[in-house]
């Protein structure tokens, strides 16, 4: 209901979320009335959004935040509400007139891959035509992948970020499957990411929309929550939370608002990280950052037992350039700690808990 989004906007403005960089309050599927109005326009469910979306957007904007909304490229949304097929211009104009700042555009019920692609292109053009700055979040490659390899160059021309894989769930198996899929396909997806267009692995404990973070819910251990936050930062993922900010633990809040991690995630260079090696249960990932720095994640995929050590040479990072001739090492997660200065030929030994990650900045 609109009251839920009002309360979330209040918490985001007063509990440090906005100041940490979280700026969108996003509505997902099921916000609509079951039918369009007499002029063919989308309308909000009158019982759950009695004041309408325009008033909600005004309230969200008054808190220094932005409003996101949901639509679908096909005849119906995934939950069976009116889709935007044959209404792309009208719906874009409607969203702009309401003051919407982000559109998550799903791909259910599109009929064919040709219609799907045409719909995503047409809505992009329609959004730009409104003259309002609206972030465009697509599910285009996810719906293409079972049949054909997505053309990411084309997708980036039209979309600001795009989903590649299944919805994230509040479970370690879901987080692990997303990381495994990303590593498997990194040769095709990492190179396209950058300012203006991002791969979206879905929410981080931020379980409401897009690149969702599920931290702050119930299905992840502390080490697994650290892993999700660290790896979403390495992957340059949009950070969207799908959780109840009114009832979040201090630990989850600290993790989600961690300014060092968010700085890595939002690094101006905009390059996505990638896995550089896998050794039994350990994975080593790196992400080039501005200022010739690197973010490095050491992930322990083992699910039983105690902490284990992983040792690697610093000459392995950044094609040998990250630490040449020397570098400082700062641990960011699971806690902030200065490791000092190392030479190019040094090795690091990192102790990592099962299903945990140690995030470093080199």
């Amino acid at each position: 209901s609109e009251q839920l989004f009002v309360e979330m906007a209040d918490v985001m403005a007063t509990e440090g979320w906005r100041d940490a960089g979280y700026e969108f309050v996003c509505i997902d599927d099921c916000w609509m009335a079951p039918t369009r109005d007499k002029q063919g326009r989308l309308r909000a469910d009158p019982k759950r959004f009695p004041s309408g979306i325009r008033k909600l957007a005004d309230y969200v904007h008054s808190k220094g935040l932005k409003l996101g909304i949901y639509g679908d490229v096909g005849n119906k949304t995934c939950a069976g509400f009116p889709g935007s097929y044959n209404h792309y211009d009208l719906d874009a104009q409607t969203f702009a007139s309401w003051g919407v700042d982000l559109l998550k555009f799903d791909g259910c019920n599109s009929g064919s891959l040709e219609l799907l692609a045409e719909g995503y292109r047409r809505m992009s053009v329609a959004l730009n035509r409104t003259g309002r700055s609206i972030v465009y979040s697509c599910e285009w490659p996810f719906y293409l992948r079972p049949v054909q390899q997505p053309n990411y160059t084309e997708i980036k021309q039209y979309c600001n970020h795009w989903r590649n894989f299944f919805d994230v769930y509040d479970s370690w198996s879901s987080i692990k499957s997303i990381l495994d899929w990303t590593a498997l396909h990194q040769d095709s997806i990492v190179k396209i990411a950058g300012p203006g267009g991002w791969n979206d692995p879905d929410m981080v404990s931020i379980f409401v929309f897009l690149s969702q973070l599920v931290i702050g819910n119930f299905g992840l251990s502390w080490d697994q929550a650290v892993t999700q936050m660290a790896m979403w930062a390495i992957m340059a993922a949009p950070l969207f939370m799908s959780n109840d900010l009114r009832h979040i633990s201090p630990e989850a809040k600290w993790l989600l608002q961690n300014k060092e991690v968010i700085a890595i995630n939002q690094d101006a260079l905009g390059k996505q990280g990638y896995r550089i090696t896998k050794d039994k249960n350990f994975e080593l990932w790196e992400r080039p950052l501005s200022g010739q720095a690197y973010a490095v994640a050491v992930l322990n995929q083992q699910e039983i037992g105690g902490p284990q050590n992983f040792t690697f040479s610093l000459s392995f990072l950044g094609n040998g350039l990250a630490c040449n001739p020397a570098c400082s090492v700062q641990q960011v997660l699971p806690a902030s700690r200065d490791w000092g200065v190392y030479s190019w030929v040094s090795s690091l030994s990192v102790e990592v808990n099962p299903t945990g990650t140690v995030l470093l900045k080199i």
Side-chain angles (χ1 to χ4, degrees):
S1 67
E2 66 184 42
Q3 186 60 32
L4 174 66
F5 292 95
V6 164
E7 292 177 15
M8 289 297 171
D10 288 343
V11 173
M12 286 182 70
T14 59
E15 297 293 327
W17 300 100
R18 179 189 62 199
D19 297 337
Y22 297 97
E23 58 180 348
F24 288 92
V25 181
C26 295
I27 308 170
D28 216 311
D29 202 351
C30 307
W31 62 268
M32 304 172 194
T35 58
R36 294 174 176 268
D37 68 13
K38 292 180 180 178
Q39 287 75 42
R41 293 174 301 200
L42 293 173
R43 50 190 176 144
D45 182 285
K47 291 183 179 178
R48 290 182 291 116
F49 294 87
S51 304
I53 303 300
R54 175 78 231 192
K55 187 169 181 180
L56 178 59
D58 289 344
Y59 186 84
V60 168
H61 293 157
S62 77
K63 298 294 179 179
L65 298 164
K66 299 177 181 179
L67 185 71
I69 207 163
Y70 172 100
D72 191 280
V73 71
N75 286 308
K76 294 182 182 295
T77 71
C78 296
F81 291 88
S84 290
Y85 179 69
N86 277 339
H87 296 86
Y88 300 117
D89 285 297
L90 178 60
D91 289 356
Q93 292 162 12
T94 300
F95 296 144
S97 72
W98 287 345
V100 165
D101 304 290
L102 180 152
L103 173 64
K104 174 184 174 181
F105 211 42
D106 217 331
C108 285
N109 305 302
S110 58
S112 70
L113 294 184
E114 290 75 19
L115 290 173
L116 178 92
E118 180 188 359
Y120 275 112
R121 289 190 290 261
R122 288 186 59 184
M123 180 55 87
S124 178
V125 171
L127 291 172
N128 284 337
R129 198 179 288 136
T130 68
R132 183 172 181 81
S133 179
I134 299 175
V135 176
Y136 187 34
S137 169
C138 301
E139 312 261 326
W140 190 350
F142 171 68
Y143 287 90
L144 286 181
R145 268 202 175 272
V147 179
Q148 66 187 58
Q149 172 71 18
N151 181 343
Y152 284 103
T153 302
E154 179 187 30
I155 289 169
K156 188 173 182 177
Q157 288 179 338
Y158 292 99
C159 304
N160 295 122
H161 43 91
W162 47 84
R163 280 273 305 284
N164 292 303
F165 194 56
F166 295 107
D167 289 353
V168 66
Y169 289 95
D170 189 16
S171 73
W172 172 242
S173 63
S174 176
I175 303 300
K176 184 177 180 297
S177 69
I178 289 171
L179 296 177
D180 290 345
W181 186 95
T182 300
L184 182 65
H185 295 88
Q186 64 184 21
D187 288 349
S188 64
I189 67 172
V190 165
K191 59 190 176 186
I192 197 63
W198 311 96
N199 291 295
D200 179 8
D202 210 24
M203 291 170 269
V204 259
S205 172
I206 297 167
F207 215 35
V208 154
F209 204 85
L210 303 176
S211 203
Q212 266 143 308
L213 300 162
V214 284
I215 300 156
N217 292 311
F218 305 99
L220 299 183
S221 71
W222 175 248
D223 288 302
Q224 292 161 2
V226 167
T227 289
Q228 195 193 14
M229 193 68 181
M231 297 308 299
W232 262 235
I234 288 284
M235 293 188 292
L239 298 181
F240 288 85
M241 297 179 292
S242 191
N243 48 21
D244 190 341
L245 297 177
R246 300 166 302 181
H247 307 107
I248 192 169
S249 72
E251 295 82 9
K253 182 178 180 181
W254 173 85
L255 181 57
L256 288 163
Q257 291 189 4
N258 188 298
K259 292 183 178 179
E260 292 178 273
V261 186
I262 291 172
I264 291 172
N265 172 263
Q266 297 286 305
D267 183 77
L269 189 62
K271 287 188 175 292
Q272 180 170 334
Y274 40 84
R275 190 175 74 187
I276 53 176
T277 189
K278 181 177 174 64
D279 182 6
K280 297 179 182 176
N281 290 312
F282 278 100
E283 296 186 7
L284 184 65
W285 294 61
E286 69 176 16
R287 177 183 174 185
L289 304 175
S290 52
Q292 296 181 308
Y294 282 79
V296 175
V298 183
L299 167 63
N300 180 3
Q301 292 244 17
Q302 180 138 332
E303 299 184 15
I304 59 173
Q308 291 185 320
N309 282 289
F310 179 72
T311 302
F312 62 96
S313 172
L314 288 169
S315 64
F316 204 54
L317 303 176
N319 290 319
L321 301 176
C323 199
N324 189 0
C327 59
S328 63
V329 179
Q330 179 75 27
Q331 179 180 303
V332 178
L333 288 175
S336 181
R337 185 160 64 91
D338 186 2
W339 284 21
V341 176
Y342 291 79
S343 73
W344 179 68
V345 293
S346 300
S347 291
L348 279 188
S349 184
V350 183
E351 184 180 84
V352 193
N353 291 342
T355 66
T357 295
V358 171
L359 180 64
L360 306 170
K361 184 175 180 182
I362 308 293

